[in-house]
């Protein structure tokens, strides 16, 4: 059976999957209960939701971009 030439190598797909998982983790860190008209929830302004989660999402998107431009090694 002959080898096919794909645009992405195995490492590219692994890096894409890891980047997607990091983005999902970032969105999960952003989630939580919100405030309503009757009750104020100060947790909506926590450092986890405002600072940490967006940085985690950004790192996930940057790693996905790197996975797309990463050249597969020739074997």
């Amino acid at each position: 059976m002959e080898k096919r030439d794909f645009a992405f190598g195995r490492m590219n797909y692994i890096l894409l999957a890891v980047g997607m998982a990091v983005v999902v983790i970032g969105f999960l860190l952003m989630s939580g209960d919100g405030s309503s008209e009757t009750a104020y929830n100060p947790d909506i302004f926590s450092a986890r939701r405002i600072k940490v989660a967006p940085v985690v999402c950004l790192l996930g998107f940057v790693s996905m971009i790197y996975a797309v431009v990463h050249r597969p090694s020739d074997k």
Side-chain angles (χ1 to χ4, degrees):
M1 191 170 211
E2 67 185 61
K3 184 178 178 188
R4 297 182 183 175
D5 290 330
F6 291 110
F8 291 152
R10 181 175 183 200
M11 190 63 172
N12 294 89
Y13 288 113
I14 292 171
L15 291 172
L16 277 171
V18 169
M20 182 68 75
V22 171
V23 170
V24 168
I25 289 169
F27 277 106
L28 289 175
L29 287 173
M30 274 191 248
S31 66
D33 293 335
S35 293
S36 65
E37 291 182 18
T38 58
Y40 173 71
N41 184 3
D43 190 42
I44 62 172
F45 298 112
S46 68
R48 175 183 57 99
R49 292 172 89 173
I50 291 182
K51 295 178 184 175
V52 176
V55 170
V56 171
C57 286
L58 179 68
L59 291 175
F61 285 124
V62 168
S63 67
M64 288 173 62
I65 291 170
Y66 174 75
V68 170
V69 299
H70 177 72
R71 284 186 170 242
S73 60
D74 294 333
K75 291 184 180 180

